[in-house]
Structure formats: structure tokens, C-alpha cells
Amino acid sequence: MALSSGKDMASLRLQLDGFVTITSEEQNAVEESVEHIYSACQGRTRLKETFPLHKVRHISYLRRGLLRLSENFECLDASRPWLCYWILHSLNLLGDEISLEQQLRISEFLKSVQADTGGFCGNIGHLPHLATTYAAVSALASLDYEPCYDVIDSATLKQFLQNMHNDDGSFTMHKDGELDVRGAYCAAVVAHLSGIYSEELFANTGEWIAKCQTFEGGFGSRPGTEAHGGYTFCSLAALILLDKTHLINNDQLLYWAVHRQMKFEGGFQGRTNKMVDGCYSFWQGGVFPLLHHILKTDLKSNLRDKEWIFSQVALQDYILFCCQYPSGGLVDKQENQEIIITLATALVVCQSHSTPLKIP
């Protein structure tokens, strides 16, 4: 919050207690990097100048990604539906239109990775997986051409979700695979988007997710694990879709979430005592509109309707000043070179005020 707060930057830096650790050294290095950027930009803020979102560069970068990705993305060869979803979602948020030809090509590819037994795979010939099923269905929902939606085989998809569902309410990510709250979230979103949701399909799921809330207030991957930003978003979003938010301690969750915004940088950390990371601009930032909905609707609190319960300006400063890559795309940290494409959603959170959530 150093840039927009008007406070002396030094007063917001990490105050060491005399015990130097690897974590404190890393935090100090991050703050020095961010301070270098913010110091160079202070003149702009004093003059009330805005630092732009490089929209044209980002759209160009994303459009290139629809056709060809660099060798840096080889590690995501088993996550190709995710690349489709991230790119489409970002282009939609940036107001760019996808041609009908491209929409059909994307839907044909996603059809080719749909398993005969239901669900979608990460690539042709792979096992169906709840995460890539979520990405594929979300990508198809992002397209603006209704025949693309017919790609989804609802009958086999429902069977796949039933096979992944466990008696305790949890979901396994794939056959004989890992088990965590991502599965419950992915399944809930997919079921709602494809019109196959039923209470029977999610028997005990809300109760199982509630067990993942930790003493800190956030949610771990499964019961007994550390609170984490990504798992917290997945847990809360799934509970809203399941209408089970009454099962958790929302006040404790709010306390944990607001303390994940970094005092100096303005971005979010994923866990207690970790570094700022651009990807948590969404995972943590996205928690606040959901909490706002719960607190206003279910608990009848007197929250203001013009802003969320965190510093939106500080987060926006961090994304715009520290995370924009010169040639397009966004990075998780300023010093990193690997480009990611998932932060556009966080900018929407920064710019938005509260509007009623519509749960399908």
C-alpha cells in the first residue's frame, strides 16, 4: 500500500525483530524490488496521473497464444484446456471479440479431449480430470456461439462427476488420483454450468468442505492442512454454489483474508509469512466479493456498496506497476520472466463494486 497510502515507504517495510531468517531475507528483497518501482512512479501519483493497463499489448499476447505458444509452455502440455480457458476469459474481460472460425476451432479441440467415459482430459489420450473438465466447460461457456455448447456430453459428464464423488462428500480429481477441495469446487461449477446439478450429486460435500476451515480462518486443501489462498477461494465459492455458507465461520475467514494483503506491496500473499504473488490477486482478491455477498445477504450486515473490504487501489497499483510484462501478459512477481495470463480477473475485482451475485 506504499504507493497510494501517502505514508513514508520506510514505515511500511518489514520491521525485523532481530531474528534474521530465510523468509525475512526474501521478504526484504521483494520489498526492495517493489520500492524501486514505486519510488520511480511516485511523481505520477502526486500529479494524479494514471498508469495504464497496456490493453493492446495484452490482447496481442493473448491472440498469439491462441495460435502458438512458446517452448516455455511445454510444461503445460497436459493442461491445454486451461490455456484455452485462460486466454478466452482474459480476452473477454479485455473486451476483445473471438472470430467464429476461432470459436469453432477451439470447440473442436475441446471435443477431441472429451473422454468417452465423461469429463475432459488435459490432452488427447490422457485421463479425464476434474481440473481440466472445469477448464474445458468454462472455456466453452466463454464462447459466444451456442452450437459450441453442444460439445458437452451431459450424460457422461454426470456419470464422471458421480464416479469422482466420495461418500464423505469429497471429490477425487481423477481416477485413483489426489483428493482436495479443488475437486469439490470444479465439480460444483461444472454441474451448474452444464445444468446437471443435484443435491444428491453433492451429498455431504458442504460438510466436508467446512471441515477444511483452519483455526486461522482460511481453508486448507483438506481437513487438517494449512490455510491457503487458492483453496480458500475454491472452498468459499463451492459453499455458495451449494448454499452451505452457514456451516463456516465467516468472521474468522474475513479476518484471515484481510491480513493476506501485504502492507508494503499492496498485493496478496497466499499463506501466512509467504511472499507477495500476483496470482493471489485473484485467489485472495476474489474471496472478498463472495464474502461481501454472504455478509450482506445472509448475515444482514451494513457493508458499504461502493467498495470491497480490502484496498482495491493498492492491489491495482501492484498489478499495474509490478506485474505487467513489457511485451504483453502479466507476471506473478516483477523479477520473474515466465509470463502468466490469469490476472485480468483480479483487475476486474479492483475496478468493481458490489452487485448481487446470481447463482445459477
Side-chain angles (χ1 to χ4, degrees):
M1 316 208 184
L3 188 60
S4 58
S5 67
K7 297 180 180 179
D8 176 59
M9 286 195 185
S11 67
L12 299 174
R13 291 284 301 268
L14 174 68
Q15 304 300 312
L16 295 175
D17 54 8
F19 294 94
V20 178
T21 65
I22 294 175
T23 301
S24 67
E25 290 179 338
E26 290 179 350
Q27 177 63 28
N28 186 59
V30 170
E31 290 182 358
E32 286 182 356
S33 175
V34 172
E35 183 174 14
H36 177 74
I37 298 171
Y38 283 171
S39 296
C41 298
Q42 275 190 321
R44 279 180 176 267
T45 58
R46 283 195 294 267
L47 295 172
K48 304 300 181 182
E49 294 180 11
T50 57
F51 192 81
L53 174 68
H54 299 309
K55 183 176 177 180
V56 174
R57 298 180 194 174
H58 298 320
I59 288 176
S60 176
Y61 165 72
L62 292 164
R63 281 187 163 277
R64 292 196 304 272
L66 277 178
L67 301 174
R68 183 180 182 277
L69 290 167
S70 72
E71 61 185 16
N72 292 334
F73 288 89
E74 185 179 5
C75 61
L76 295 177
D77 194 52
S79 302
R80 290 179 68 186
W82 277 109
L83 295 169
C84 293
Y85 172 56
W86 288 333
I87 292 173
L88 288 172
H89 186 53
S90 297
L91 286 172
N92 285 340
L93 291 174
L94 292 168
D96 191 52
E97 293 186 2
I98 311 297
S99 70
L100 178 58
E101 179 185 359
Q102 285 182 314
Q103 292 188 59
L104 290 173
R105 287 177 61 190
I106 292 167
S107 65
E108 281 300 311
F109 165 70
L110 293 173
K111 183 177 182 179
S112 73
V113 297
Q114 185 171 210
D116 294 337
T117 54
F120 290 80
C121 312
N123 208 334
I124 297 171
H126 291 197
L127 286 173
H129 192 288
L130 269 177
T132 48
T133 297
Y134 166 90
V137 172
S138 297
L140 290 165
S142 300
L143 298 174
D144 194 29
Y145 186 52
E146 193 165 333
C148 294
Y149 310 152
D150 295 334
V151 167
I152 303 170
D153 186 332
S154 299
T156 59
L157 177 58
K158 184 174 183 179
Q159 184 61 53
F160 172 64
L161 296 184
Q162 288 173 336
N163 291 341
M164 296 303 102
H165 181 261
N166 300 305
D167 291 340
D168 63 358
S170 63
F171 279 81
T172 304
M173 296 301 292
H174 62 89
K175 183 180 179 181
D176 299 325
E178 70 272 27
L179 181 157
D180 57 58
V181 293
R182 291 176 303 152
Y185 168 69
C186 291
V189 171
V190 165
H192 276 281
L193 287 177
S194 59
I196 60 175
Y197 175 83
S198 69
E199 291 188 3
E200 180 183 4
L201 184 57
F202 291 89
N204 300 319
T205 300
E207 289 75 10
W208 183 82
I209 295 174
K211 294 176 183 177
C212 298
Q213 187 170 28
T214 76
F215 70 94
E216 288 187 279
F219 289 77
S221 62
R222 58 175 69 189
T225 59
E226 182 183 10
H228 181 284
Y231 297 126
T232 296
F233 175 85
C234 289
S235 297
L236 185 60
L239 287 169
I240 289 176
L241 290 171
L242 300 174
D243 195 24
K244 296 286 187 177
T245 57
H246 61 280
L247 297 176
I248 62 173
N249 187 329
N250 290 291
D251 289 338
Q252 194 68 13
L253 171 57
L254 177 61
Y255 181 86
W256 179 83
V258 297
H259 283 85
R260 301 286 70 76
Q261 187 168 26
M262 305 299 280
K263 182 169 64 173
F264 184 81
E265 303 93 309
F268 284 94
Q269 61 184 183
R271 293 178 283 159
T272 303
N273 291 329
K274 294 297 182 179
M275 306 302 110
V276 68
D277 190 312
C279 70
Y280 293 108
S281 303
F282 169 72
W283 295 117
Q284 300 284 29
V287 165
F288 292 95
L290 302 180
L291 268 175
H292 200 108
H293 165 74
I294 295 169
L295 296 173
K296 286 281 287 186
T297 305
D298 299 344
L299 303 182
K300 312 297 182 185
S301 63
N302 296 317
L303 291 175
R304 297 173 62 181
D305 288 333
K306 296 297 182 182
E307 57 191 26
W308 308 124
I309 317 171
F310 73 98
S311 177
Q312 294 169 242
V313 173
L315 177 59
Q316 181 172 283
D317 284 344
Y318 177 70
I319 296 173
L320 293 178
F321 285 97
C322 300
C323 296
Q324 293 195 90
Y325 200 73
S327 60
L330 295 156
V331 298
D332 54 359
K333 291 185 179 66
Q334 187 272 333
E335 68 272 17
N336 286 359
Q337 296 298 306
E338 184 177 355
I339 306 173
I340 59 174
I341 51 181
T342 57
L343 300 188
T345 307
L347 283 171
V348 174
V349 174
C350 295
Q351 291 287 323
S352 297
H353 54 79
S354 61
T355 53
L357 289 175
K358 295 181 179 180
I359 308 300

